[in-house]
Each structure stands twice: as structure tokens, then as C-alpha cells.
Amino acid sequence: YIMDWQSVIHYYPQLLAGVGETLLLLAVSLSIGLLLALSFSLLLENSNAWFCKLIKTYIFVFRGTPMLVQFFIIYYGAGQFTFITHSFLWIAFKQPFFCAVLALALNTAAYTTELFRGAIKAIPAGEITAAQAFGLNKFQIATKIILPNLWRIILPAYSNEVIMVLKGTSLASAIT
């Protein structure tokens, strides 16, 4: 079945609106997921054992379940709890766009945390020891030593994660 040009021109505005919505969903999800992943990976390196186990459990769950199931649990599952439906949270959870962003952000945060954690372990220990010898505090070491090296190491693998999130945006149609 081949569409004629009149049909293509008729649907062109809808296709452009869909591209815009997809890019917005991608940008917001990646931004939130990146912030969460960076926070989680730094907490994994500097926190107590109980908090690390909690983060590792989150990573295990979100990396081990299909993204479509995560979409369904967040969108359809939130309405099953009365403390959500009778609170201010319901304003957000009844919106499909919010639930899609939340699902994609939590999913990408789990994968990206592992990327960050591996990159942090790949930074030579001598660089951190040298920074400590110069008298830099933990924040300065993180911003001047760890983060610049982290981006260099993580960029090739993170580009694959961006592509996976872009592919995952198509699953948002299942909850709209």
C-alpha cells in the first residue's frame, strides 16, 4: 500500500508534532536521568553500606525488568494506591507525559549509574592521591579530577544509552 502525496501532506503536521514530543520526552528524561545517575554513583562511592545496598537494589530492579512493564507499573499502578490518588501526587501521576518521563528517567538512571561507577573505578588512583596531597577537598577532587575524566571515559557508552532512550520513547504510546 503506497500513500499518495496528498495523504502525506495531510499528516505532515501531526508527524512534526510527534517528532517534537519525542525530542522533548528524550531531553527531559535524559536530563533527569543524568542528574540521578551522577548522584547515585557519587553516593555509591562515598556512602554507608545500607544506602549502597538500597541503590544497588534499585539498579537491579530497573535493569532487570522490561521498560514497557515499568511504564505500565508507573502509569497504571500508581492509581491503585489511595494515598497517591487522594494527594497532590495524583495531579502528576494522571498525566501520561509525566509517567513516561519518570519511567524513562528512572530506567536510564539505573543504566547510567553503572556507566558512571565503572568510569569512576577506571580513573587512576594516583590522580586522586595526588589531588589529596595537594590539599584538595572531596568536592574539589570530584569537580576537578573525577568529573572531567569521567566524561572522557563514559561518552562512547553514554551515546548508546541516549539511542536506547530514544527507542524507548516509542513505548510512551502504550500509556497515552
Side-chain angles (χ1 to χ4, degrees), residues 7-26:
S7 297
V8 171
I9 292 171
H10 179 274
Y11 291 111
Y12 191 71
Q14 293 175 345
L15 291 172
L16 283 180
V19 168
E21 193 81 11
T22 298
L23 292 177
L24 179 64
L25 186 61
L26 176 70

Side-chain angles (χ1 to χ4, degrees), residues 96-164:
F97 187 83
F98 172 80
C99 293
V101 165
L102 184 62
L104 285 169
L106 291 175
N107 186 281
T108 191
Y111 282 98
T112 308
T113 299
E114 288 296 312
L115 292 175
F116 281 152
R117 205 169 68 136
I120 289 171
K121 293 209 182 294
I123 295 173
E127 290 184 23
I128 296 171
T129 305
Q132 290 170 341
F134 276 116
L136 298 178
N137 61 28
K138 286 187 178 187
F139 179 76
Q140 290 173 325
I141 291 172
T143 57
K144 299 194 183 303
I145 305 296
I146 294 175
L147 288 178
N149 285 330
L150 186 86
W151 292 116
R152 180 182 49 81
I153 295 169
I154 197 176
L155 192 59
Y158 188 68
S159 62
N160 289 336
E161 180 60 25
V162 170
I163 292 169
M164 294 305 293

Side-chain angles (χ1 to χ4, degrees), residues 60-135:
F60 178 77
V61 168
F62 273 87
R63 288 182 68 196
T65 56
M67 196 182 303
L68 184 61
V69 172
Q70 295 168 14
F71 273 95
F72 284 158
I73 288 173
I74 291 172
Y75 184 66
Y76 296 114
Q80 304 300 316
F81 299 104
T82 56
F83 69 89
I84 291 178
T85 57
H86 292 99
S87 71
F88 67 94
L89 294 173
W90 186 241
I91 295 168
F93 276 98
K94 69 180 179 179
Q95 301 296 325
F97 187 83
F98 172 80
C99 293
V101 165
L102 184 62
L104 285 169
L106 291 175
N107 186 281
T108 191
Y111 282 98
T112 308
T113 299
E114 288 296 312
L115 292 175
F116 281 152
R117 205 169 68 136
I120 289 171
K121 293 209 182 294
I123 295 173
E127 290 184 23
I128 296 171
T129 305
Q132 290 170 341
F134 276 116

Side-chain angles (χ1 to χ4, degrees), residues 39-52 55:
S39 302
F40 290 158
S41 60
L42 291 175
L43 286 172
L44 280 173
E45 294 299 318
N46 298 321
S47 290
N48 61 16
W50 184 84
F51 201 66
C52 287
I55 293 173

